[in-house]
Amino acid sequence: MLLLDRRSLLTACAGLPLAGPLSAAARPVGLGELAARSGRYFGSAVTHLDVADAGDHVRLFDAECSVWVPAWEMKWGALVAKLGAAPDYRATDAIVAAAARRGKRLRGHTLVWHEHLPAGAEGLSSQADWQRFVAPHIAAVTGRYRDAIFEWDVVNEAIEPYDGAANLMRRTPFYAMLGLDYVAEAFRLAADAAPAARLYLNDDHLYYAEDWQERRRTGVLRLLERLVGAGVPVHGFGMQGHLDTRLRFDEGIFRRFLARLEDLGLTIAITELDVTEAPDAGGRSVAARRRRAAAEAGKIVSVALDSPALTGVVTWGLSDADSWLRRRSPDMADNQGLPFDDAYRPTPMRDTLASLFASSRTPHPT
Ligand code: 9MR
């Protein structure tokens, strides 16, 4: 139905230049609306500039998303430039206000992460440091936005088997301060200050069959089992969706991982979806590359949609023009891995997500 609608609209508009990023006439039903048909959300990372009313992008983020996730503004180092300085909430407040005006729900990202720290926080290492700096940060941010944020990535990227700890935890300043207990403490602080929010652990590199990803899945499951077993208020798990066409996907492995998360009573979100292309992708046509990226996202999202625990899907940006993957390395300078192209026109990935959302037969109970 959706495809027919789009095709007839596109036929009607053939030859007419689009009047900017997605003219209103040619706009299909938004991904957020399609995801809602099975009780789910679709969202994207946004910056406060993307969603400023006077900006160019806001129409697209408005039309496509039911959920927005601040890409960087809520991180500790974005709020507090230097350890001990007063937080600057102007950018986060702007996103919260824009979301309220446009009726978007907000996922909070993220309270505890070893990157993007205030200057001086890298050296924190004692329990007293946690009490003096980290605990007040978590309480302040979750408390300030207790009515605005429906889901928080409380702890981000806690697992790193290559760091050599027997429990597979990443060695970070937070780990130095409290050991493994920092994760539970962070969740308890967030739950106290924002009792209605759903609280997520969020981590990456979990979708593929490679051994190093299997070790990461083991680390995540061990940590979650421990948290759930101890009655810590953890409600969901966010799987960063930074997919990579160079890695091997095994549907059975992925389904078993999803089942283990479900058995823990958790909900699941695909967070940060985008696709990294192989460096030799440049030898193929852009159209073929976009189809390949769409297929990569499609095979994973379609399996995840079979889980009633899946609450939603968030892409890490909407347009390739703004993708962090392009900024990350010269090899990826024209990476094709998001639902909209450089000119903010839909790519095959958008069509794939739209079809999958529209045809989902396993709703998330709301
Ligand atoms: O895409 C984000 C970029 O704009 C920020 O500068 C950066 C540092 O705050 O974080 C990027 O987002 C990361 C996310 O928060 C956690 N997973 C990896 C993402 C890409 O680095």
Side-chain angles (χ1 to χ4, degrees):
M1 182 63 185
L2 172 85
L3 289 174
L4 280 177
D5 285 345
R6 280 205 67 213
R7 196 170 297 133
S8 50
L9 279 166
L10 289 174
T11 308
C13 295
L16 296 175
L18 284 177
L22 273 191
S23 77
R27 191 163 60 218
V29 180
L31 291 173
E33 292 159 75
L34 293 169
R37 292 181 189 174
S38 64
R40 297 183 167 99
Y41 57 76
F42 172 80
S44 169
V46 301
T47 70
H48 66 290
L49 299 174
D50 290 329
V51 298
D53 275 344
D56 292 337
H57 295 71
V58 67
R59 275 189 300 151
L60 189 62
F61 287 101
D62 194 13
E64 293 292 340
C65 302
S66 51
V67 162
W68 290 344
V69 185
W72 57 266
E73 288 87 341
M74 287 195 160
K75 292 164 185 169
W76 193 14
L79 295 167
V80 177
K82 190 165 175 290
L83 199 61
D88 179 346
Y89 291 112
R90 282 175 297 179
T92 36
D93 284 353
I95 294 180
V96 168
R101 279 197 301 276
R102 302 214 175 234
K104 306 299 167 189
R105 294 197 295 161
L106 280 180
R107 287 194 95 242
H109 177 82
T110 174
L111 298 165
V112 178
W113 188 34
H114 61 286
E115 291 188 30
H116 209 153
L117 293 169
E122 300 82 1
L124 298 180
S125 60
S126 69
Q127 203 171 341
D129 288 336
W130 176 277
Q131 294 303 346
R132 181 167 171 212
F133 296 110
V134 187
H137 156 67
I138 296 172
V141 181
T142 45
R144 182 181 183 91
Y145 298 118
R146 58 186 286 160
D147 299 324
I149 302 278
F150 81 106
E151 249 173 39
W152 267 110
D153 287 334
V154 177
V155 175
N156 191 39
E157 300 174 9
I159 299 300
E160 183 44 275
Y162 286 116
D163 279 1
N167 54 21
L168 306 178
M169 293 292 290
R170 188 188 296 273
R171 296 186 191 279
T172 67
F174 309 106
Y175 190 70
M177 285 180 249
L178 294 191
L180 186 56
D181 290 343
Y182 88 83
V183 182
E185 275 307 304
F187 276 87
R188 290 193 185 106
L189 286 161
D192 283 349
R198 292 191 56 81
L199 304 180
Y200 275 62
L201 184 74
N202 194 51
D203 218 311
D204 62 354
H205 302 305
L206 295 159
Y207 291 88
Y208 292 101
E210 275 74 6
D211 285 347
W212 63 276
Q213 298 221 353
E214 182 61 25
R215 286 199 298 281
R216 299 185 58 78
R217 285 189 285 274
T218 301
V220 162
L221 289 170
R222 275 194 207 160
L223 176 57
L224 286 168
E225 278 162 11
R226 191 183 166 109
L227 295 170
V228 170
V232 173
V234 53
H235 310 121
F237 181 64
M239 280 187 285
Q240 290 184 22
H242 298 300
L243 307 180
D244 190 325
T245 60
R246 296 165 291 190
L247 300 176
R248 191 169 66 82
F249 180 64
D250 179 309
E251 189 180 318
I253 291 175
F254 184 44
R255 284 193 189 279
R256 281 194 290 282
F257 183 57
L258 293 172
R260 294 281 300 275
L261 295 169
E262 287 173 24
D263 288 347
L264 286 168
L266 300 170
T267 52
I268 301 165
I270 295 182
T271 60
E272 306 187 27
L273 180 65
D274 55 22
V275 178
T276 292
E277 294 186 284
D280 64 357
R284 284 178 277 133
S285 72
V286 170
R289 290 165 55 194
R290 289 184 181 144
R291 284 197 300 275
R292 175 75 184 82
E296 190 68 22
K299 69 189 177 192
I300 282 157
V301 172
S302 68
V303 173
L305 280 167
D306 284 344
S307 169
L310 186 82
T311 52
V313 176
V314 170
T315 53
W316 212 236
L318 286 179
S319 156
D320 282 319
D322 306 323
S323 171
W324 73 287
L325 294 170
R326 291 190 173 186
R327 296 195 303 270
R328 186 175 57 166
S329 75
D331 279 356
M332 301 295 167
D334 78 332
N335 192 72
Q336 309 289 328
L338 280 169
F340 290 83
D341 70 10
D342 292 58
Y344 300 88
R345 289 173 306 220
T347 63
M349 188 189 295
R350 191 211 179 271
D351 296 339
T352 298
L353 292 174
S355 307
L356 289 173
F357 288 146
S359 62
S360 171
R361 297 283 169 265
T362 315
H364 171 66
T366 44

